Amino acid sequence: MKKHLYKFDKNALYRLPLLMLMSMFSVFTALAQNSTITGTVTDPQGMAIPGVSISVKGTTNGTITDIDGHYSLTGEINNESTLVFSFIGMKSNEIVVADQTVINVVMQDDVHGLNEVIVVGYGTQEKKDITGSVALVGADELESRPNTQLGSLIQGRAAGVRVASSSGKPSQGLSIRVRGTNSITAGSEPLYVVDGIPTSDTRSINPADVETMTVLKDASSAAIYGAQGANGVVLITTKQGTTGKPRVTLDAYTGFSEVWNTLDVLNGEQYRDLMTEMGQSTDWNRYNKNTDWQNEIFQRGVSQNYQLSLSGKSESTSYYVSGGWVQQVGAVRSSEMDRANFKVNLDQEVNDWLSIGTRIAYTKYRDVDVNDNNAINQGGVITGVINTPSVIDIYNEDGTFTSNPFQNWENPVASTDGSDREYRQERFLGNLYLKVDFLKHFSFKSNFGVDYSNGIYDYFLDPYRTSYGRAKKGIGTNNTDRSNYWMAENILSYNKKLGKHNIEALAGNVVQKYLWENAYITTENFASDGVQTTNGGSIIASAGNTKSEKSNVSYISRLNYAFDDKYLLTANFRADASSVFGDDNRWGYFPSFSAGWRISHEGFMEGFDFLNDLKIRAGWGIVGNDQIRNYAYYGTVGSNNYPIGGTLMPGTYPNAMDNNSLKWEESEQTNIGLDVSVLNGRIQLTTDAYLRKTRDLLLDAPLPTSTGFSAALQNIGNLENKGLEFSLNTVNIDKEVKWSSTFNISFNENEVTNLVVESLPMGNIAGRGEAILLEEGQSLGTLYGYVWGGVDPATGNAYYVDKNGESTFTPDADDRTIIGNANPDFFYGLNNTVSYKGIGLTVFLEGAYGNDMLNATRIDSEGMTDPKNQLLAVNKRWRQPGDITDVPKASWANTDNSRISTRFIEDGSYLRVKTITLSYDLPQSILSKVNLANVRVYATGENLLTLTDYSGFDPEVNAFGGSNTMQGIDYGTYPQTRNIIFGLNVTF
C-alpha cells in the first residue's frame, strides 16, 4: 500500500461525499485552532522562495510561503507534529515541531527533472530510467499559454513533433506529425490516449483540464500500442486532486483576433482597364462602387473563456471536478465556435488492496464553418475577397446578393451570410477502472472506457437571396453522424527490487470495438424560407445511410530491468488482430527493445562533480498501422439505377475487388539518444538520431483496365524517415530574478524508397492539372509542374523550359518536373520565461525553414484569364511589344500563361512570435486578508509578428489539411490570426 501525505484528523469536521453517477459534490470544512508556527524558507544562497508548500504531516492542514518566503501556519499542532516543506526542484524537508514556534528552513536544490515521473504506455517511469525517445510537455508549459486547441499547446514545445495549423478558422483541428509523415493512404496522425482511452478527435477536449502531455516518439516507447503506434503516441493526462485542502480555481479570459495580413488588389478603375484590355465591355455606370471586400469579410474576432474547477485530496480520496465554456467569433465573417465542458476525475482507495476510479468528460460543441480552399465560383470566401471586383456593392436594390458583372459569381458575403449552416456535437468520454494489489509485488488493473459522440449538421440556402438558391428554389441538408467506441483492458503488473536489481513487468489483453453511422438527406424546391428543415423541400436531391464497424484484439507485454541504477533494459511485445485485414494477414506482431547506460554512475566518473547525469540510449522496434478504410480487403458492390424498358430499375455493380492478402503497414525504427544533465540540472541536453523504415505501404494503385477496376488498395511500396533532434533546457538565472529557457530543433528527411508504379501525379489545382508528384526517390509533398522561363517581350506570352532545357510556349505534360518540396529542412521552437517578485514574462518563438509553398491563390489572382479581380501585381503586366516584365499579358479564357510552375513557388519559411505573455501574481500579504490563495492577471499576444518572404495571407496553412501527400499548397485558405488576450486566474 502506498503512503499518503494526508489523512483525516479525528477531530476535524472535514468531509467530502462524491456521488459518481450523479457527478454531484458538497464540501464541509472546519479548522481547529490551537497554535501557530511561523518562519521563512530560503535557498542555499539566502534568497526567499515563494510558493513553498508547508503542511502538517498526516493532516489536511497546510499553507504556502508568500513572495518574501514567509509563512504562518495555524491549526492543531503539537510537539510531535511534523511539518513537510516541498517545492518543485528542491529536496523536501520534514521537521518535527517539538517546542518550536519559529521554524526557518533552507531548502537544497534537487537535480532538476531526473526524478520526475513521466506517464508512459500503461504505466509510469522516472525520467532517469527511460530508455526510449519521449518528450514531455509539463503543466508549467501548458499553463503559460491560454488556448482552446489542444494541439496548439504542443506546437514548438517538443523536438520531432510538428503541428501543422492548416487553417486559422476556429473550427479547424490541427494535424500533428511525429517524426515526419509515415504513410501514403493510411493515417499519419499519432494515437491520442486521454487518461487511458485511445481517441482520434482532440478538438472537443478541454485544454484547461490537461495536466501533462507525453509524446512517445520512437518504436521502443510506442510499440506497446502496436497497431496504433506507428505514427507516435500522445498520452494526455488530465488533472487530479493534489492537496488536502479543497482548492477552487477560476480561469477567465477575453480576447480579440484579426487577420494579420491583407493583400493589395486592383481598384475599380484598374479593374475596368483590365477587362477592357481583355475585350470585355459593359455599362460601367451600373458598376461604380468602391467596395473593400477584405474589409467586409475580415473582422475583429472576439473570444471568451470561463473555467471553474474544484480539486482536493484526502487520505483515500482524490477528486477533480471542472466545468467550462469557451466561445470564439472568428476573424472571418460568420465563422464561430463554442464549446461547453464538464469533467469529473475521481480516485478512491477502498482499502489497502483495492482502488477504484473514474474519468468522465462531457462536451457540447458547436461551430459555423466558412467555405475556404475553393475558387470564388465554388463559393470560396478567401479567394472571393481578392477576386470579387470592387465596382459592385454587397446587395442589389431588392436585397439579393450582387454578382460579378460578367459571370454569375456571387460576392463573398453571399458565401458567409447567404446560408444558415451549423454543426453540433455531443460527446461523452469516460472510463471506470479497478485496481487490486496482491501478493505484495503484484497488481491487477481492469479498465473499461467509452467514447461516444453524436453530431448533426444542418444547412439551408434560402430560395431568394442568392442566385444558386433561386435556381434550386432553396436547398436544405440534414446530416447526422454517430460514433461509438468501447475498450476493455486487463493488465497484470509485477514490481520488485532485489538488492541492485529492479524488475518491472506487465502483461495484458486489450479489446476494442468501433461503430460509425451516418445518414443524410438533401432536398430542394422550397415554397419559402419559413420552413428550413428538409421536409420543406418537395424534391429529394440525394439521400443515404451508411454504417461500418471495426474491431481490434491485442495482447501486450513489457519488461523493465535496471541494475544498480546504471544498466537499463526495456522490452515490449504486442500482438494485434484488426478486422480491416483478411484472414491471411489479420494478425500483426510488434516487438521492441531498448537499452540505456548511465555513464555518470560509473566509478571512473566520480571526479566530474558538475555532471549530474549522462545516459546513452539505443532502441529498435516495429510498430504497425491499420488506419485505413473499413472492410478494405472485401470485394464490395455499389448501387446504381439502370434504364430497362424505359424505366429506371435499381441494380448493383462490382465496386472493389477483394484482397485477402492485404496486410499491415509496418514501421521499423532505430533510435540512438543521449541525455546530459549538468550543474545540478540547470542545463539539460537531449539529442536523438533515428531511422524509420515503413514497408508494405497501403495505396490505391491503378490496375489494368482488363481487370474491370480502375484501382485497388494494395501493399505496394516503402517509405523512409530519418532525422536528428535536439532539446536544450536551461536555468539561466535562479535567484530573485528567475530566467529559464527551452529550445528544440528538428531535422527530418522523408523519401519514398520503393513504389510499384512509376509515378503518380495527383491533386488538380485551379483547373491547371496536378500539383503533387508521388514518385520513388522523392519525398511526400513533392510539388510538381513546369519550369517558368519568363515573358517574351515581343508577344507578352509566357514561355517555359522543357525537359530538353529549351524554351517553349507550348510545353506538354511530359515537360513537367519537380519544382519544390513542402517539407522544411528543419523546424524549431524557443521559449523564455522570466519572473521577478510576482511579475512573469514568457516569450515563445516558433518557426520552420526551407519549405516550399505553391501559392495557388496567385494562379487565380494573377492569371488574368476571366473576369476575376486580380492582385495589384498584374499592373506590371505586358501591354505592348518591347515591354520587359515578369508578368505576362492578359489572355481571356487561356490558361497557358498561368500554368502550375516555378512562377508560383515561394519560400514558405517563417519565424513567428507565437506567444508573449505578461503576468502579475498579487502578493500573499494582500491575498491572505481576503482568504485567497493566488490571483494572477495576464495579457497574452499570439502571432504578434511573423517574419517571412511568403507573399500570401499566411505561410502556416495548407489547403488540403492533414493530407499525407497534398502538402504545401495555399489556395484561398483561412489564414492564421493575430490574437490579444486578457485573463484572470484566481485560486481559493
Side-chain angles (χ1 to χ4, degrees), residues 763-807:
N764 192 291
I765 300 294
R768 270 48 169 208
E770 296 86 0
I772 293 290
L773 182 69
L774 180 62
E775 185 176 74
E776 186 175 316
Q778 302 299 326
S779 64
L780 300 179
T782 294
L783 297 166
Y784 181 58
Y786 297 96
V787 177
W788 169 260
V791 178
D792 178 22
T795 64
N797 288 321
Y799 63 89
Y800 302 86
V801 180
D802 66 15
K803 59 187 175 184
N804 299 316
E806 298 178 353
S807 299

Side-chain angles (χ1 to χ4, degrees), residues 609-656:
D609 295 335
F610 68 92
L611 183 65
N612 305 115
D613 190 60
L614 175 61
K615 180 174 65 177
I616 296 176
R617 298 174 282 105
W620 170 91
I622 297 176
V623 285
N625 193 343
D626 69 342
Q627 295 183 42
I628 58 174
R629 63 177 180 265
N630 294 337
Y631 318 115
Y633 72 95
Y634 273 121
T636 58
V637 297
S639 60
N640 204 348
N641 294 325
Y642 297 92
I644 300 176
T647 304
L648 285 178
M649 301 293 291
T652 59
Y653 63 92
N655 186 45

Side-chain angles (χ1 to χ4, degrees), residues 41-42 52-55 57 82-87 90-96 104-109:
V41 181
T42 60
V52 176
S53 174
I54 304 105
S55 63
K57 188 174 183 179
T82 299
L83 299 190
V84 179
F85 297 78
S86 59
F87 187 72
M90 314 292 282
K91 294 180 180 179
S92 296
N93 288 36
E94 294 191 8
I95 298 176
V96 178
N104 297 321
V105 175
V106 177
M107 300 192 73
Q108 301 296 322
D109 291 335

Side-chain angles (χ1 to χ4, degrees), residues 9-31:
D9 187 277
K10 62 182 180 180
N11 293 322
L13 299 178
Y14 176 85
R15 55 182 266 212
L16 176 65
L18 287 172
L19 303 179
M20 293 171 53
L21 296 179
M22 300 295 295
S23 301
M24 301 290 291
F25 59 86
S26 59
V27 179
F28 302 92
T29 61
L31 299 174

Side-chain angles (χ1 to χ4, degrees), residues 110-111 113-120 123-132 134 136 495 497 502 504 560 562 565 568 570 598 601 613 615 617 675:
D110 198 359
V111 178
L114 290 183
N115 296 317
E116 186 176 12
V117 176
I118 295 178
V119 176
V120 295
T124 59
Q125 270 189 294
E126 289 188 354
K127 184 177 179 180
K128 63 183 178 63
D129 294 331
I130 288 178
T131 55
V134 175
L136 174 68
N495 191 333
K497 189 169 185 177
N502 193 9
E504 297 179 8
N560 289 330
D565 210 25
L568 313 169
T570 299
R598 183 166 290 114
H601 281 39
D613 190 60
K615 180 174 65 177
R617 298 174 282 105
D675 299 330

Side-chain angles (χ1 to χ4, degrees), residues 9 152 155 267 486 551 578 736 844 937:
D9 187 277
S152 296
Q155 189 171 26
N267 61 29
W486 63 262
S551 60
S578 176
E736 190 172 15
F844 174 44
V937 292

Side-chain angles (χ1 to χ4, degrees), residues 427-446:
R427 183 183 185 193
F428 177 86
L429 180 71
N431 73 325
L432 179 68
Y433 76 84
L434 178 147
K435 183 180 179 183
V436 178
D437 297 320
F438 64 100
L439 296 179
K440 193 175 182 180
H441 302 293
F442 288 89
S443 65
F444 174 78
K445 185 176 182 180
S446 184

Side-chain angles (χ1 to χ4, degrees), residues 218-227 229 572-574 576 590-592 621-623:
D218 69 334
S220 63
S221 60
I224 193 70
Y225 288 99
N572 295 281
F573 181 78
R574 177 159 176 157
D576 279 289
F590 309 106
S592 75
I622 297 176
V623 285

